[in-house]
Amino acid sequence: DHEVGGATRTNVDHSPRWQMLRDMYQVASVVLNGRIHLHCNVTKVEKLGGGMKFTEGPVWIPSGKMVVFSDIPNSVLMQWSRKGGLREYRKVQQSNGNILDLEGNLLTCQHAGRNVIRANPEGKVTVLADNFGGKKLNSPNDLAILSNGQIWFTDPSYGLRGKPGEIGGKWVWRIGKTGIDVLYKDHDMP
């Protein structure tokens, strides 16, 4: 950290997301009055690929120096790297949100799979959540991971395409060491 014009300038490089931003976009942050302001030195926007229908859920995979993201309607995870360009990462069931867990495994919400899965670096997939009390989840959408390893995810009904859900609500869930439980019920489409 160092002072720049009365503000503290920090080149953040300790998390995978910040490393991706720093490496790809030369981002630095400036803290002014307790708030972080990002400064990006990109001078042009460059199209890196096409042919996808609807993309979401980008996640930086440091070990592969690549971004992985969901092409939801095509039921595929795509990857992009400077070295390899754009290509298919693996087939999925209309995945949406992606994030790395604390061990570097890829966590993915799947609309059509109606689940949250974990893929280890070798590609082995484990279902972390797909039902509650024997009733299928709606269509898990986005997720976050806490520093204690808990996984929180949203479960709206977008992927049901007008069909009724089984669990009786569109909620925010938590996956912990002892299973899955509801965190928040008072939102129409989390």
Side-chain angles (χ1 to χ4, degrees):
D1 295 356
H2 58 279
E3 291 290 315
V4 176
T8 303
R9 181 180 172 102
T10 305
N11 289 324
V12 181
D13 64 357
H14 55 274
S15 76
R17 286 194 186 100
W18 282 105
Q19 287 177 14
M20 178 197 68
L21 289 172
R22 186 197 68 221
D23 293 347
M24 293 179 68
Y25 301 111
Q26 303 162 16
V27 172
S29 67
V30 177
V31 179
L32 295 171
N33 300 323
R35 298 181 70 188
I36 296 175
H37 300 270
L38 297 179
H39 296 276
C40 185
N41 296 325
V42 172
T43 57
K44 69 177 187 169
V45 174
E46 179 183 349
K47 182 177 179 178
L48 301 175
M52 295 153 289
K53 292 184 180 179
F54 188 84
T55 61
E56 284 203 35
V59 62
W60 177 247
I61 311 288
S63 61
K65 296 185 179 179
M66 64 183 167
V67 175
V68 171
F69 59 94
S70 299
D71 183 358
I72 301 167
N74 287 326
S75 288
V76 65
L77 281 176
M78 299 297 292
Q79 71 180 50
W80 181 88
S81 69
R82 288 189 192 278
K83 185 176 179 181
L86 182 67
R87 63 185 179 141
E88 184 176 302
Y89 185 68
R90 69 179 165 85
K91 298 284 187 196
V92 289
Q93 295 177 309
Q94 291 184 330
S95 67
N96 194 327
N98 300 288
I99 197 168
L100 294 181
D101 69 11
L102 301 180
E103 289 79 42
N105 299 302
L106 179 61
L107 305 180
T108 300
C109 290
Q110 297 191 114
H111 279 329
R114 298 174 75 174
N115 58 24
V116 177
I117 61 172
R118 176 181 58 222
N120 71 15
E122 292 75 39
K124 181 181 180 208
V125 175
T126 304
V127 175
L128 300 178
D130 62 358
N131 75 84
F132 184 72
K135 296 180 180 180
K136 287 185 178 183
L137 296 173
N138 297 316
S139 57
N141 190 56
D142 285 315
L143 67 170
I145 187 149
L146 279 66
S147 61
N148 65 4
Q150 287 183 6
I151 301 160
W152 292 16
F153 69 95
T154 60
D155 189 33
S157 60
Y158 301 124
L160 296 179
R161 301 178 188 199
K163 297 176 189 169
E166 295 180 19
I167 60 171
K170 303 165 218 162
W171 303 326
V172 177
W173 296 85
R174 172 179 46 205
I175 303 171
K177 292 179 182 179
T178 60
I180 177 176
D181 62 326
V182 178
L183 283 175
Y184 187 73
K185 292 184 176 184
D186 296 328
H187 196 350
D188 181 43
M189 291 292 268

